[in-house]
Amino acid sequence: MKTMTRNEAVATRRRLLAGLPVEERTLAIAGTRTRLVEGGSGTPIVLLHGQGGSAVAWTTVLPRFLERHRVVVPDLPGLGESIITDMEIGSSAVVSWLDELISKTCDTPPMIVGLSLGGTIAAHFAIDRFDACRSVVLVDTGSLGPFRPDPRVLPALVRVSVRPTQRNIERLFRHTSADLDAVKRQFEPAEWQDFIGYGMERNAAPTVKSANRQMLRKLGTKQIPDEDLERIECPVALVWGRHDKIMNVTIAEEASRKFGWPLHVIDDCGHAASWDQPDRFVDIVETLAVD
C-alpha cells in the first residue's frame, strides 16, 4: 500500500467516522490545536487513545458509548490531527491540556478512559486534578510499573517508528492483539485498509514522529512513583488484557494490590481491549460508570 497524500488521509478519516452521530472540531488548547470527535448525551466520558494512534482507534466501541453518554475523543497532542503550537511535552503540560479540554467540552466532571499512553496521561491528571474527573479507567496502561515489554515486541515497535508501512503496522498488531484476524473481521476489508492507510500517513509525518518519540520518552516509559499514585482520591479501576505483551498483567495485579484499585482482566485479549474484546470492554466500563 502506498502512503496516502495529506488530502487522501483527511478524506479517509472522514470515511472512518462516517455514519457515527459525531462531529469534529478543532480547539486551541494549552499550546495545541487539538482535533476532537464528540457526540451523544448523558454522563460524559473522555476517551484517550494510545501511542501512535488517534481518535479513530475508538471506532470499535464508539457506537455503544454514544448510546448513553456524551463522548469526547481527542487526538493526543501532536498525534492524529492535533498540532503542537507551543507545548513542551511532559506530565505537567499534558495535565494542563486535559484540564482545559475538559473545561471546554464537559459540563460536569467526566469519566476518563485512557488506553496505554492515554492511561498514563489519565493517571497524571488524576494525581493533580482528581476533583475534575468523576473517575478514571486505566486500560493496559504504561507508567504503573517498569516498562519491560516482551522482547519479541521491541523489533516490531522499532520498525513501525522507522517505516510505518502496512506490513510493519500489521506485524506490530500481531503482537499487540490476541487474535489480529478476529480483529480484522470487525471491519469491512475497505474499512481496514482505510484504517491502516490513515495510520501509515500520520505516523510517517515528521511532526507526528517527533511527538511520538517525546511522548514515549517523557511519559510512556516513565514509571510514576507510588507516592504520587497514592495521592489519587477519585475512583480508579484497571482493565487489562490477560495476554498483554507490552504491559504484562502482573503490573496491573501489583497496582491493584498496592492501591486497592479493582482489576478487570479480559481473557483472549492483548494490549487493546477495545479492539480484541470490544463488547466485553464496553460492558465493564459501563458497570464502572454506574453511580
Side-chain angles (χ1 to χ4, degrees), residues 136-138 234-240 252-253 255-257 259-265 284 287-288:
V136 171
V137 182
L138 305 179
C234 66
V236 177
L238 305 171
V239 179
W240 230 265
E253 292 168 344
S256 178
R257 183 191 65 78
F259 307 115
W261 299 337
L263 169 61
H264 304 264
V265 178
I284 290 170
T287 64
L288 300 172

Side-chain angles (χ1 to χ4, degrees), residues 61-140:
V61 295
L62 264 175
R64 285 193 59 193
F65 281 135
L66 286 163
E67 291 174 2
R68 297 182 57 185
H69 300 279
R70 168 163 173 71
V71 185
V72 179
V73 195
D75 291 350
L76 297 183
L79 306 184
E81 303 296 329
S82 290
I83 299 171
I84 293 174
T85 55
D86 185 24
M87 173 194 275
E88 184 68 33
I89 291 174
S91 60
S92 61
V94 294
V95 167
S96 296
W97 169 81
L98 185 51
D99 193 27
E100 189 173 337
L101 173 83
I102 289 171
S103 70
K104 289 185 174 181
T105 60
C106 300
D107 292 333
T108 59
M111 168 186 276
I112 302 173
V113 181
L115 167 65
S116 193
L117 174 65
T120 296
I121 293 172
H124 280 290
F125 186 79
I127 291 166
D128 291 338
R129 290 302 319 273
F130 52 81
D131 58 326
C133 51
R134 183 168 174 266
S135 60
V136 171
V137 182
L138 305 179
V139 187
D140 297 289

Side-chain angles (χ1 to χ4, degrees), residues 26-280:
T26 301
L27 296 176
I29 299 175
T32 71
R33 292 205 302 273
T34 297
R35 191 69 172 171
L36 61 92
V37 175
E38 58 189 344
S41 61
T43 306
I45 290 182
V46 175
L47 302 176
L48 303 178
H49 65 78
Q51 185 80 23
S54 69
V56 299
W58 292 103
T59 54
T60 52
V61 295
L62 264 175
R64 285 193 59 193
F65 281 135
L66 286 163
E67 291 174 2
R68 297 182 57 185
H69 300 279
R70 168 163 173 71
V71 185
V72 179
V73 195
D75 291 350
L76 297 183
L79 306 184
E81 303 296 329
S82 290
I83 299 171
I84 293 174
T85 55
D86 185 24
M87 173 194 275
E88 184 68 33
I89 291 174
S91 60
S92 61
V94 294
V95 167
S96 296
W97 169 81
L98 185 51
D99 193 27
E100 189 173 337
L101 173 83
I102 289 171
S103 70
K104 289 185 174 181
T105 60
C106 300
D107 292 333
T108 59
M111 168 186 276
I112 302 173
V113 181
L115 167 65
S116 193
L117 174 65
T120 296
I121 293 172
H124 280 290
F125 186 79
I127 291 166
D128 291 338
R129 290 302 319 273
F130 52 81
D131 58 326
C133 51
R134 183 168 174 266
S135 60
V136 171
V137 182
L138 305 179
V139 187
D140 297 289
T141 289
S143 303
L144 300 185
F147 183 66
R148 294 172 184 160
D150 186 313
R152 293 169 293 181
V153 178
L154 289 174
L157 285 167
V158 171
R159 279 192 291 265
V160 168
S161 67
V162 175
R163 294 187 66 246
T165 63
Q166 179 175 7
R167 180 179 180 184
N168 286 343
I169 290 173
E170 291 201 358
R171 185 180 292 167
L172 176 61
F173 286 169
R174 290 281 176 195
H175 290 291
T176 59
S177 301
D179 184 346
L180 180 59
D181 294 328
V183 170
K184 291 169 71 171
R185 286 194 291 271
Q186 299 176 48
F187 297 82
E188 295 295 330
E191 186 182 19
W192 178 255
Q193 290 299 303
D194 277 350
F195 182 84
I196 294 295
Y198 180 72
M200 287 171 55
E201 191 276 338
R202 285 291 72 207
N203 282 283
T207 56
V208 174
K209 281 189 172 185
S210 175
N212 266 322
R213 286 194 299 269
Q214 292 183 67
M215 285 284 195
L216 187 62
R217 186 175 72 253
K218 297 181 180 181
L219 292 169
T221 60
K222 298 287 187 182
Q223 184 173 349
I224 300 172
D226 286 355
E227 55 266 30
D228 290 342
L229 294 170
E230 288 169 351
R231 290 166 42 204
I232 299 176
E233 295 188 16
C234 66
V236 177
L238 305 171
V239 179
W240 230 265
R242 189 174 299 282
H243 309 294
D244 189 339
K245 296 179 183 178
I246 294 180
M247 298 301 293
N248 193 280
V249 70
T250 56
I251 292 171
E253 292 168 344
E254 180 65 9
S256 178
R257 183 191 65 78
K258 285 191 291 190
F259 307 115
W261 299 337
L263 169 61
H264 304 264
V265 178
I266 303 179
D267 291 327
D268 300 317
C269 183
H271 186 61
S274 56
W275 271 38
D276 278 333
Q277 298 290 340
D279 289 335
R280 178 68 179 133

